Amino acid sequence: MTRSITAEADWLVLHNAEGRWSVWPATYPLPAGWQAEGAPAPRAECLARIETLWADPRPLALRAVMA
């Protein structure tokens, strides 16, 4: 079964234990190790939200070592 994904479709903002953020189609099962943050929204809105949430793109483990 093929699913069609568009920018206007509902997307989710995801985060993982390493402090990384991503967008994910709301109609797909979440990948292992990732959690949804907030309600589904258009892709552009999710990307804008990630910009505000993910100020430091380094993995959490690297940030801890460098602190």
Short mmCIF file of all heavy atoms in Angstrom, two decimals:
data_model
loop_
_atom_site.label_atom_id
_atom_site.label_comp_id
_atom_site.label_asym_id
_atom_site.label_seq_id
_atom_site.Cartn_x
_atom_site.Cartn_y
_atom_site.Cartn_z
N MET A 1 0.84 -1.18 0.00
CA MET A 1 0.00 0.00 0.00
C MET A 1 0.89 1.25 0.00
O MET A 1 1.76 1.42 0.83
CB MET A 1 -0.88 -0.04 1.25
CG MET A 1 -1.72 1.16 1.45
SD MET A 1 -2.81 0.81 2.85
CE MET A 1 -3.06 2.43 3.42
N THR A 2 0.66 2.14 -0.93
CA THR A 2 1.43 3.37 -1.04
C THR A 2 0.63 4.51 -0.44
O THR A 2 -0.55 4.66 -0.72
CB THR A 2 1.75 3.68 -2.51
OG1 THR A 2 2.43 2.56 -3.06
CG2 THR A 2 2.60 4.91 -2.62
N ARG A 3 1.28 5.32 0.38
CA ARG A 3 0.62 6.48 0.98
C ARG A 3 1.18 7.74 0.35
O ARG A 3 2.37 7.87 0.14
CB ARG A 3 0.87 6.52 2.48
CG ARG A 3 0.35 5.32 3.21
CD ARG A 3 0.64 5.44 4.66
NE ARG A 3 0.44 4.15 5.30
CZ ARG A 3 0.62 3.92 6.56
NH1 ARG A 3 1.00 4.89 7.36
NH2 ARG A 3 0.42 2.75 7.08
N SER A 4 0.30 8.66 0.08
CA SER A 4 0.71 9.93 -0.48
C SER A 4 0.93 10.94 0.64
O SER A 4 0.08 11.09 1.51
CB SER A 4 -0.36 10.44 -1.44
OG SER A 4 -0.02 11.70 -1.92
N ILE A 5 2.09 11.61 0.63
CA ILE A 5 2.41 12.59 1.65
C ILE A 5 2.60 13.94 0.97
O ILE A 5 3.33 14.04 0.00
CB ILE A 5 3.70 12.22 2.40
CG1 ILE A 5 3.57 10.85 3.04
CG2 ILE A 5 4.03 13.26 3.45
CD1 ILE A 5 4.85 10.34 3.62
N THR A 6 1.94 14.94 1.50
CA THR A 6 2.10 16.29 0.97
C THR A 6 2.47 17.23 2.10
O THR A 6 2.30 16.91 3.27
CB THR A 6 0.81 16.81 0.30
OG1 THR A 6 -0.19 16.96 1.32
CG2 THR A 6 0.31 15.87 -0.78
N ALA A 7 2.95 18.40 1.77
CA ALA A 7 3.30 19.39 2.78
C ALA A 7 2.08 19.85 3.54
O ALA A 7 2.17 20.28 4.69
CB ALA A 7 3.99 20.58 2.12
N GLU A 8 0.89 19.77 2.91
CA GLU A 8 -0.33 20.22 3.57
C GLU A 8 -0.90 19.16 4.50
O GLU A 8 -1.77 19.45 5.30
CB GLU A 8 -1.38 20.61 2.53
CG GLU A 8 -1.01 21.82 1.70
CD GLU A 8 -0.01 21.51 0.60
OE1 GLU A 8 0.02 20.37 0.09
OE2 GLU A 8 0.77 22.41 0.26
N ALA A 9 -0.46 17.94 4.36
CA ALA A 9 -0.96 16.85 5.20
C ALA A 9 -0.52 17.08 6.64
O ALA A 9 0.38 17.88 6.92
CB ALA A 9 -0.41 15.52 4.70
N ASP A 10 -1.15 16.40 7.55
CA ASP A 10 -0.78 16.52 8.95
C ASP A 10 0.54 15.83 9.23
O ASP A 10 0.77 14.69 8.83
CB ASP A 10 -1.87 15.92 9.85
CG ASP A 10 -3.09 16.82 9.94
OD1 ASP A 10 -2.95 18.04 9.72
OD2 ASP A 10 -4.16 16.30 10.24
N TRP A 11 1.40 16.55 9.92
CA TRP A 11 2.72 16.06 10.31
C TRP A 11 2.85 16.18 11.82
O TRP A 11 2.11 16.91 12.47
CB TRP A 11 3.81 16.90 9.64
CG TRP A 11 3.88 16.70 8.16
CD1 TRP A 11 3.03 17.21 7.23
CD2 TRP A 11 4.83 15.94 7.45
NE1 TRP A 11 3.38 16.81 5.97
CE2 TRP A 11 4.50 16.02 6.08
CE3 TRP A 11 5.94 15.19 7.83
CZ2 TRP A 11 5.24 15.38 5.09
CZ3 TRP A 11 6.68 14.55 6.84
CH2 TRP A 11 6.32 14.64 5.49
N LEU A 12 3.81 15.47 12.37
CA LEU A 12 4.10 15.52 13.80
C LEU A 12 5.52 16.02 14.01
O LEU A 12 6.41 15.76 13.20
CB LEU A 12 3.98 14.13 14.44
CG LEU A 12 2.59 13.52 14.49
CD1 LEU A 12 2.69 12.06 14.87
CD2 LEU A 12 1.71 14.29 15.46
N VAL A 13 5.74 16.70 15.11
CA VAL A 13 7.09 17.04 15.56
C VAL A 13 7.50 15.90 16.49
O VAL A 13 6.77 15.55 17.42
CB VAL A 13 7.11 18.39 16.31
CG1 VAL A 13 8.47 18.63 16.93
CG2 VAL A 13 6.74 19.52 15.37
N LEU A 14 8.65 15.30 16.22
CA LEU A 14 9.16 14.20 17.04
C LEU A 14 10.47 14.60 17.70
O LEU A 14 11.20 15.44 17.20
CB LEU A 14 9.43 12.96 16.18
CG LEU A 14 8.31 12.38 15.33
CD1 LEU A 14 8.81 11.11 14.64
CD2 LEU A 14 7.08 12.09 16.15
N HIS A 15 10.77 13.94 18.82
CA HIS A 15 12.08 14.09 19.45
C HIS A 15 12.51 12.74 19.99
O HIS A 15 11.68 11.86 20.23
CB HIS A 15 12.06 15.16 20.56
CG HIS A 15 11.20 14.79 21.73
ND1 HIS A 15 11.69 14.16 22.85
CD2 HIS A 15 9.88 14.96 21.95
CE1 HIS A 15 10.70 13.97 23.71
NE2 HIS A 15 9.59 14.45 23.18
N ASN A 16 13.83 12.58 20.16
CA ASN A 16 14.34 11.32 20.69
C ASN A 16 15.18 11.58 21.94
O ASN A 16 15.35 12.72 22.37
CB ASN A 16 15.11 10.53 19.63
CG ASN A 16 16.40 11.20 19.20
OD1 ASN A 16 16.89 12.13 19.82
ND2 ASN A 16 16.97 10.71 18.11
N ALA A 17 15.72 10.53 22.51
CA ALA A 17 16.48 10.62 23.75
C ALA A 17 17.79 11.39 23.60
O ALA A 17 18.36 11.86 24.59
CB ALA A 17 16.77 9.21 24.29
N GLU A 18 18.27 11.53 22.38
CA GLU A 18 19.51 12.28 22.13
C GLU A 18 19.26 13.77 21.92
O GLU A 18 20.15 14.52 21.56
CB GLU A 18 20.25 11.70 20.92
CG GLU A 18 21.11 10.51 21.26
CD GLU A 18 22.27 10.87 22.20
OE1 GLU A 18 22.92 11.90 22.00
OE2 GLU A 18 22.50 10.10 23.13
N GLY A 19 18.01 14.19 22.07
CA GLY A 19 17.69 15.59 21.91
C GLY A 19 17.56 16.04 20.47
O GLY A 19 17.62 17.23 20.17
N ARG A 20 17.38 15.10 19.57
CA ARG A 20 17.20 15.43 18.15
C ARG A 20 15.72 15.61 17.86
O ARG A 20 14.87 15.00 18.50
CB ARG A 20 17.79 14.34 17.28
CG ARG A 20 19.29 14.28 17.44
CD ARG A 20 19.89 13.29 16.50
NE ARG A 20 21.34 13.34 16.62
CZ ARG A 20 22.10 12.31 16.41
NH1 ARG A 20 21.61 11.16 16.05
NH2 ARG A 20 23.42 12.43 16.53
N TRP A 21 15.41 16.42 16.86
CA TRP A 21 14.04 16.73 16.48
C TRP A 21 13.83 16.39 15.01
O TRP A 21 14.77 16.46 14.22
CB TRP A 21 13.74 18.20 16.73
CG TRP A 21 13.78 18.55 18.18
CD1 TRP A 21 14.90 18.89 18.89
CD2 TRP A 21 12.70 18.56 19.09
NE1 TRP A 21 14.56 19.12 20.20
CE2 TRP A 21 13.22 18.93 20.35
CE3 TRP A 21 11.34 18.31 18.97
CZ2 TRP A 21 12.41 19.04 21.47
CZ3 TRP A 21 10.55 18.42 20.10
CH2 TRP A 21 11.08 18.78 21.33
N SER A 22 12.60 16.05 14.65
CA SER A 22 12.28 15.71 13.27
C SER A 22 10.79 15.92 13.02
O SER A 22 10.01 16.06 13.96
CB SER A 22 12.64 14.25 13.01
OG SER A 22 12.45 13.92 11.65
N VAL A 23 10.42 15.94 11.74
CA VAL A 23 9.01 15.92 11.37
C VAL A 23 8.70 14.52 10.85
O VAL A 23 9.58 13.84 10.32
CB VAL A 23 8.66 16.98 10.31
CG1 VAL A 23 8.79 18.37 10.88
CG2 VAL A 23 9.49 16.84 9.07
N TRP A 24 7.44 14.11 11.01
CA TRP A 24 7.04 12.76 10.62
C TRP A 24 5.58 12.80 10.19
O TRP A 24 4.77 13.46 10.85
CB TRP A 24 7.22 11.84 11.83
CG TRP A 24 7.06 10.39 11.51
CD1 TRP A 24 5.96 9.62 11.78
CD2 TRP A 24 8.00 9.53 10.90
NE1 TRP A 24 6.16 8.33 11.34
CE2 TRP A 24 7.43 8.26 10.80
CE3 TRP A 24 9.30 9.72 10.40
CZ2 TRP A 24 8.08 7.17 10.24
CZ3 TRP A 24 9.94 8.63 9.85
CH2 TRP A 24 9.34 7.38 9.77
N PRO A 25 5.22 12.10 9.13
CA PRO A 25 3.82 12.07 8.72
C PRO A 25 2.94 11.50 9.84
O PRO A 25 3.25 10.44 10.41
CB PRO A 25 3.81 11.14 7.50
CG PRO A 25 5.23 11.11 7.02
CD PRO A 25 6.08 11.31 8.24
N ALA A 26 1.87 12.19 10.17
CA ALA A 26 1.00 11.77 11.28
C ALA A 26 0.30 10.45 11.00
O ALA A 26 -0.12 9.77 11.93
CB ALA A 26 -0.01 12.86 11.57
N THR A 27 0.20 10.05 9.73
CA THR A 27 -0.50 8.81 9.39
C THR A 27 0.39 7.58 9.49
O THR A 27 -0.10 6.46 9.36
CB THR A 27 -1.07 8.90 7.95
OG1 THR A 27 0.01 9.15 7.05
CG2 THR A 27 -2.12 9.99 7.84
N TYR A 28 1.69 7.77 9.72
CA TYR A 28 2.62 6.64 9.83
C TYR A 28 2.86 6.32 11.30
O TYR A 28 2.87 7.22 12.15
CB TYR A 28 3.96 7.00 9.19
CG TYR A 28 3.97 6.92 7.69
CD1 TYR A 28 2.97 7.50 6.91
CD2 TYR A 28 5.00 6.28 7.02
CE1 TYR A 28 3.00 7.44 5.53
CE2 TYR A 28 5.03 6.23 5.64
CZ TYR A 28 4.03 6.80 4.90
OH TYR A 28 4.05 6.74 3.54
N PRO A 29 3.14 5.06 11.62
CA PRO A 29 3.52 4.72 13.00
C PRO A 29 4.83 5.41 13.36
O PRO A 29 5.70 5.60 12.50
CB PRO A 29 3.71 3.20 12.96
CG PRO A 29 3.12 2.73 11.67
CD PRO A 29 3.10 3.90 10.74
N LEU A 30 4.97 5.81 14.61
CA LEU A 30 6.20 6.47 15.04
C LEU A 30 7.37 5.51 14.97
O LEU A 30 7.24 4.33 15.32
CB LEU A 30 6.06 6.98 16.48
CG LEU A 30 5.00 8.04 16.73
CD1 LEU A 30 5.03 8.46 18.20
CD2 LEU A 30 5.20 9.24 15.83
N PRO A 31 8.54 6.00 14.54
CA PRO A 31 9.72 5.13 14.53
C PRO A 31 10.17 4.83 15.97
O PRO A 31 9.93 5.63 16.88
CB PRO A 31 10.77 5.95 13.77
CG PRO A 31 10.28 7.35 13.80
CD PRO A 31 8.81 7.32 14.01
N ALA A 32 10.83 3.70 16.14
CA ALA A 32 11.31 3.30 17.47
C ALA A 32 12.24 4.36 18.04
O ALA A 32 13.09 4.90 17.34
CB ALA A 32 12.03 1.96 17.37
N GLY A 33 12.04 4.68 19.31
CA GLY A 33 12.91 5.63 19.99
C GLY A 33 12.50 7.09 19.85
O GLY A 33 13.16 7.96 20.38
N TRP A 34 11.42 7.36 19.14
CA TRP A 34 10.97 8.73 18.94
C TRP A 34 9.62 8.94 19.61
O TRP A 34 8.80 8.02 19.68
CB TRP A 34 10.85 9.03 17.45
CG TRP A 34 12.17 9.09 16.77
CD1 TRP A 34 12.89 8.03 16.30
CD2 TRP A 34 12.94 10.25 16.48
NE1 TRP A 34 14.07 8.47 15.74
CE2 TRP A 34 14.11 9.83 15.82
CE3 TRP A 34 12.75 11.61 16.70
CZ2 TRP A 34 15.09 10.72 15.40
CZ3 TRP A 34 13.73 12.50 16.27
CH2 TRP A 34 14.88 12.05 15.63
N GLN A 35 9.39 10.17 20.09
CA GLN A 35 8.12 10.52 20.73
C GLN A 35 7.55 11.75 20.05
O GLN A 35 8.29 12.67 19.69
CB GLN A 35 8.34 10.82 22.21
CG GLN A 35 8.81 9.65 23.01
CD GLN A 35 9.01 10.02 24.47
OE1 GLN A 35 8.75 11.14 24.89
NE2 GLN A 35 9.46 9.06 25.24
N ALA A 36 6.23 11.78 19.93
CA ALA A 36 5.56 12.94 19.34
C ALA A 36 5.48 14.05 20.37
O ALA A 36 5.32 13.81 21.56
CB ALA A 36 4.16 12.55 18.88
N GLU A 37 5.62 15.27 19.90
CA GLU A 37 5.55 16.47 20.73
C GLU A 37 4.47 17.38 20.15
O GLU A 37 4.67 17.99 19.11
CB GLU A 37 6.91 17.18 20.72
CG GLU A 37 6.99 18.42 21.55
CD GLU A 37 7.09 18.14 23.03
OE1 GLU A 37 7.62 17.07 23.40
OE2 GLU A 37 6.65 18.99 23.80
N GLY A 38 3.31 17.41 20.78
CA GLY A 38 2.24 18.28 20.30
C GLY A 38 1.31 17.59 19.32
O GLY A 38 1.42 16.41 19.04
N ALA A 39 0.40 18.38 18.79
CA ALA A 39 -0.64 17.89 17.89
C ALA A 39 -0.17 17.94 16.43
O ALA A 39 0.73 18.71 16.10
CB ALA A 39 -1.89 18.74 18.06
N PRO A 40 -0.79 17.14 15.56
CA PRO A 40 -0.46 17.20 14.13
C PRO A 40 -0.71 18.61 13.58
O PRO A 40 -1.62 19.32 14.02
CB PRO A 40 -1.43 16.20 13.51
CG PRO A 40 -1.77 15.26 14.61
CD PRO A 40 -1.78 16.09 15.85
N ALA A 41 0.12 18.99 12.60
CA ALA A 41 0.03 20.31 11.98
C ALA A 41 0.64 20.23 10.58
O ALA A 41 1.29 19.24 10.24
CB ALA A 41 0.78 21.33 12.83
N PRO A 42 0.46 21.26 9.75
CA PRO A 42 1.12 21.27 8.44
C PRO A 42 2.64 21.20 8.61
O PRO A 42 3.19 21.66 9.63
CB PRO A 42 0.69 22.60 7.83
CG PRO A 42 -0.59 22.93 8.52
CD PRO A 42 -0.43 22.41 9.92
N ARG A 43 3.32 20.65 7.62
CA ARG A 43 4.77 20.45 7.70
C ARG A 43 5.54 21.74 7.98
O ARG A 43 6.45 21.76 8.80
CB ARG A 43 5.28 19.80 6.41
CG ARG A 43 6.73 19.36 6.48
CD ARG A 43 7.09 18.52 5.26
NE ARG A 43 8.39 17.93 5.42
CZ ARG A 43 9.53 18.50 5.05
NH1 ARG A 43 9.51 19.71 4.51
NH2 ARG A 43 10.69 17.89 5.23
N ALA A 44 5.18 22.82 7.30
CA ALA A 44 5.88 24.09 7.49
C ALA A 44 5.76 24.58 8.94
O ALA A 44 6.72 25.08 9.52
CB ALA A 44 5.35 25.14 6.54
N GLU A 45 4.60 24.39 9.53
CA GLU A 45 4.40 24.78 10.93
C GLU A 45 5.25 23.92 11.86
O GLU A 45 5.83 24.41 12.82
CB GLU A 45 2.92 24.64 11.27
CG GLU A 45 2.53 25.20 12.61
CD GLU A 45 1.03 25.10 12.84
OE1 GLU A 45 0.26 25.45 11.93
OE2 GLU A 45 0.65 24.65 13.94
N CYS A 46 5.33 22.62 11.56
CA CYS A 46 6.16 21.73 12.37
C CYS A 46 7.64 22.11 12.27
O CYS A 46 8.35 22.13 13.28
CB CYS A 46 5.96 20.28 11.93
SG CYS A 46 4.35 19.59 12.36
N LEU A 47 8.11 22.43 11.06
CA LEU A 47 9.50 22.83 10.89
C LEU A 47 9.80 24.13 11.63
O LEU A 47 10.87 24.27 12.24
CB LEU A 47 9.83 22.96 9.41
CG LEU A 47 9.89 21.65 8.63
CD1 LEU A 47 10.01 21.92 7.14
CD2 LEU A 47 11.02 20.77 9.12
N ALA A 48 8.87 25.07 11.61
CA ALA A 48 9.05 26.32 12.34
C ALA A 48 9.12 26.07 13.84
O ALA A 48 9.92 26.69 14.55
CB ALA A 48 7.91 27.29 12.02
N ARG A 49 8.31 25.15 14.31
CA ARG A 49 8.34 24.81 15.74
C ARG A 49 9.68 24.18 16.12
O ARG A 49 10.25 24.48 17.17
CB ARG A 49 7.20 23.85 16.06
CG ARG A 49 7.09 23.57 17.52
CD ARG A 49 5.74 23.00 17.86
NE ARG A 49 5.71 22.77 19.28
CZ ARG A 49 5.26 21.67 19.82
NH1 ARG A 49 4.75 20.71 19.09
NH2 ARG A 49 5.28 21.52 21.13
N ILE A 50 10.21 23.31 15.27
CA ILE A 50 11.50 22.69 15.53
C ILE A 50 12.59 23.75 15.60
O ILE A 50 13.48 23.67 16.44
CB ILE A 50 11.83 21.62 14.47
CG1 ILE A 50 10.94 20.40 14.69
CG2 ILE A 50 13.30 21.21 14.53
CD1 ILE A 50 11.04 19.35 13.61
N GLU A 51 12.52 24.75 14.75
CA GLU A 51 13.51 25.84 14.79
C GLU A 51 13.58 26.50 16.16
O GLU A 51 14.64 26.88 16.61
CB GLU A 51 13.19 26.89 13.73
CG GLU A 51 13.96 26.71 12.45
CD GLU A 51 13.78 27.88 11.52
OE1 GLU A 51 14.19 29.00 11.87
OE2 GLU A 51 13.22 27.66 10.44
N THR A 52 12.44 26.64 16.81
CA THR A 52 12.43 27.27 18.14
C THR A 52 12.84 26.29 19.23
O THR A 52 13.40 26.70 20.24
CB THR A 52 11.05 27.86 18.47
OG1 THR A 52 10.09 26.81 18.56
CG2 THR A 52 10.61 28.87 17.43
N LEU A 53 12.57 25.00 19.05
CA LEU A 53 12.87 24.01 20.07
C LEU A 53 14.32 23.51 20.03
O LEU A 53 14.88 23.13 21.06
CB LEU A 53 11.94 22.80 19.92
CG LEU A 53 10.47 23.04 20.19
CD1 LEU A 53 9.65 21.84 19.74
CD2 LEU A 53 10.24 23.32 21.67
N TRP A 54 14.91 23.47 18.85
CA TRP A 54 16.20 22.81 18.66
C TRP A 54 17.28 23.85 18.41
O TRP A 54 17.80 23.98 17.32
CB TRP A 54 16.11 21.84 17.50
CG TRP A 54 17.19 20.81 17.45
CD1 TRP A 54 18.15 20.54 18.37
CD2 TRP A 54 17.42 19.89 16.37
NE1 TRP A 54 18.94 19.52 17.95
CE2 TRP A 54 18.52 19.10 16.73
CE3 TRP A 54 16.80 19.68 15.15
CZ2 TRP A 54 19.01 18.10 15.90
CZ3 TRP A 54 17.30 18.67 14.35
CH2 TRP A 54 18.39 17.90 14.72
N ALA A 55 17.63 24.58 19.45
CA ALA A 55 18.63 25.64 19.33
C ALA A 55 20.05 25.09 19.13
O ALA A 55 20.87 25.72 18.49
CB ALA A 55 18.59 26.53 20.57
N ASP A 56 20.33 23.93 19.68
CA ASP A 56 21.66 23.33 19.59
C ASP A 56 21.55 21.97 18.93
O ASP A 56 21.06 21.02 19.54
CB ASP A 56 22.26 23.19 20.99
CG ASP A 56 23.71 22.76 20.99
OD1 ASP A 56 24.21 22.32 19.93
OD2 ASP A 56 24.35 22.87 22.05
N PRO A 57 21.98 21.81 17.67
CA PRO A 57 21.78 20.56 16.95
C PRO A 57 22.72 19.42 17.36
O PRO A 57 22.59 18.32 16.85
CB PRO A 57 22.01 20.95 15.49
CG PRO A 57 22.93 22.11 15.55
CD PRO A 57 22.55 22.85 16.81
N ARG A 58 23.66 19.69 18.27
CA ARG A 58 24.55 18.59 18.69
C ARG A 58 23.77 17.56 19.49
O ARG A 58 22.85 17.91 20.25
CB ARG A 58 25.67 19.14 19.58
CG ARG A 58 26.59 20.10 18.85
CD ARG A 58 27.61 20.69 19.80
NE ARG A 58 26.90 21.46 20.84
CZ ARG A 58 27.46 21.91 21.94
NH1 ARG A 58 28.75 21.69 22.17
NH2 ARG A 58 26.77 22.60 22.83
N PRO A 59 24.11 16.27 19.36
CA PRO A 59 23.46 15.24 20.17
C PRO A 59 23.64 15.54 21.66
O PRO A 59 24.65 16.12 22.08
CB PRO A 59 24.17 13.95 19.78
CG PRO A 59 24.78 14.24 18.44
CD PRO A 59 25.10 15.70 18.44
N LEU A 60 22.68 15.12 22.46
CA LEU A 60 22.70 15.36 23.90
C LEU A 60 23.99 14.86 24.55
O LEU A 60 24.57 15.53 25.39
CB LEU A 60 21.48 14.71 24.53
CG LEU A 60 21.21 15.00 26.00
CD1 LEU A 60 21.03 16.50 26.21
CD2 LEU A 60 19.98 14.25 26.46
N ALA A 61 24.46 13.68 24.15
CA ALA A 61 25.68 13.11 24.74
C ALA A 61 26.90 14.03 24.47
O ALA A 61 27.73 14.23 25.35
CB ALA A 61 25.94 11.72 24.18
N LEU A 62 26.98 14.58 23.27
CA LEU A 62 28.08 15.47 22.94
C LEU A 62 27.99 16.77 23.74
O LEU A 62 28.99 17.26 24.26
CB LEU A 62 28.09 15.78 21.44
CG LEU A 62 29.17 16.75 20.96
CD1 LEU A 62 30.57 16.23 21.27
CD2 LEU A 62 29.02 17.01 19.47
N ARG A 63 26.79 17.31 23.89
CA ARG A 63 26.62 18.53 24.69
C ARG A 63 27.04 18.28 26.12
O ARG A 63 27.67 19.13 26.75
CB ARG A 63 25.17 18.99 24.64
CG ARG A 63 24.84 19.67 23.34
CD ARG A 63 23.44 20.20 23.37
NE ARG A 63 22.55 19.12 22.94
CZ ARG A 63 21.24 19.13 23.07
NH1 ARG A 63 20.64 20.12 23.64
NH2 ARG A 63 20.53 18.11 22.63
N ALA A 64 26.72 17.11 26.67
CA ALA A 64 27.08 16.79 28.05
C ALA A 64 28.60 16.71 28.21
O ALA A 64 29.16 17.20 29.19
CB ALA A 64 26.43 15.48 28.46
N VAL A 65 29.29 16.09 27.25
CA VAL A 65 30.75 15.96 27.31
C VAL A 65 31.41 17.33 27.23
O VAL A 65 32.42 17.60 27.90
CB VAL A 65 31.26 15.03 26.19
CG1 VAL A 65 32.76 15.11 26.04
CG2 VAL A 65 30.81 13.61 26.44
N MET A 66 30.87 18.21 26.39
CA MET A 66 31.49 19.52 26.18
C MET A 66 31.14 20.54 27.26
O MET A 66 31.74 21.60 27.32
CB MET A 66 31.10 20.05 24.81
CG MET A 66 31.63 19.17 23.68
SD MET A 66 31.24 19.80 22.07
CE MET A 66 32.45 21.11 21.94
N ALA A 67 30.17 20.22 28.11
CA ALA A 67 29.74 21.15 29.17
C ALA A 67 30.76 21.26 30.27
O ALA A 67 31.57 20.47 30.54
CB ALA A 67 28.40 20.73 29.73
#
